[in-house]
Amino acid sequence: MYDGKTFRSVTNTANGEVSGDTLFHYHQDGAIVWAEYGGGAITRGTLIATVAPDNSLDMRYQHVNTAGELMTGHCRTTPETLPDGRLRLHERWQWTSGDGSSGESIVEEEK
């Protein structure tokens, strides 16, 4: 479901670092999903997740931002299939570094 797909952020709460300039490149092997991401305020990042039976993701992420800070967090992602067949991912996340705040974001599959 996720393998080989590229996603771009379309919305994020103000305390997030991902923006419309951030691209995520997803891979999947069975119930394990991982991705590399970067762009905008993010120099380089990776994530790893397990896939639930409903195709939601239980995710952990880490990245280095352009200020040189190592940032980490966890996320619960729920997929939605758009009318054109692309995926939209609804994400509820929380930092495990920095201020520990939480937020919500949406990323969509690139055409």
Side-chain angles (χ1 to χ4, degrees), residues 6-12 16-26 35-47 61-66 91 95 105-110:
T6 299
F7 294 88
R8 182 184 298 274
S9 176
V10 294
T11 65
N12 199 1
E17 294 191 332
V18 168
S19 70
D21 294 323
T22 310
L23 288 177
F24 296 80
H25 302 283
Y26 273 64
E36 302 87 28
Y37 62 98
I42 301 186
T43 301
R44 182 176 301 269
T46 59
L47 63 84
Y61 59 88
Q62 59 188 6
H63 66 253
V64 175
N65 62 26
T66 54
E91 302 177 321
W95 294 113
S105 56
I106 296 175
V107 299
E108 289 184 357
E109 184 179 349
E110 292 277 271

Side-chain angles (χ1 to χ4, degrees), residues 49-91:
T50 54
V51 183
D54 65 357
N55 287 315
S56 65
L57 301 174
D58 180 14
M59 179 186 303
R60 306 297 181 270
Y61 59 88
Q62 59 188 6
H63 66 253
V64 175
N65 62 26
T66 54
E69 300 167 312
L70 178 62
M71 302 297 290
T72 62
H74 59 87
C75 180
R76 174 59 93 181
T77 300
T78 304
E80 169 192 2
T81 302
L82 298 171
D84 64 5
R86 293 179 304 122
L87 289 178
R88 175 183 288 156
L89 306 181
H90 299 267
E91 302 177 321

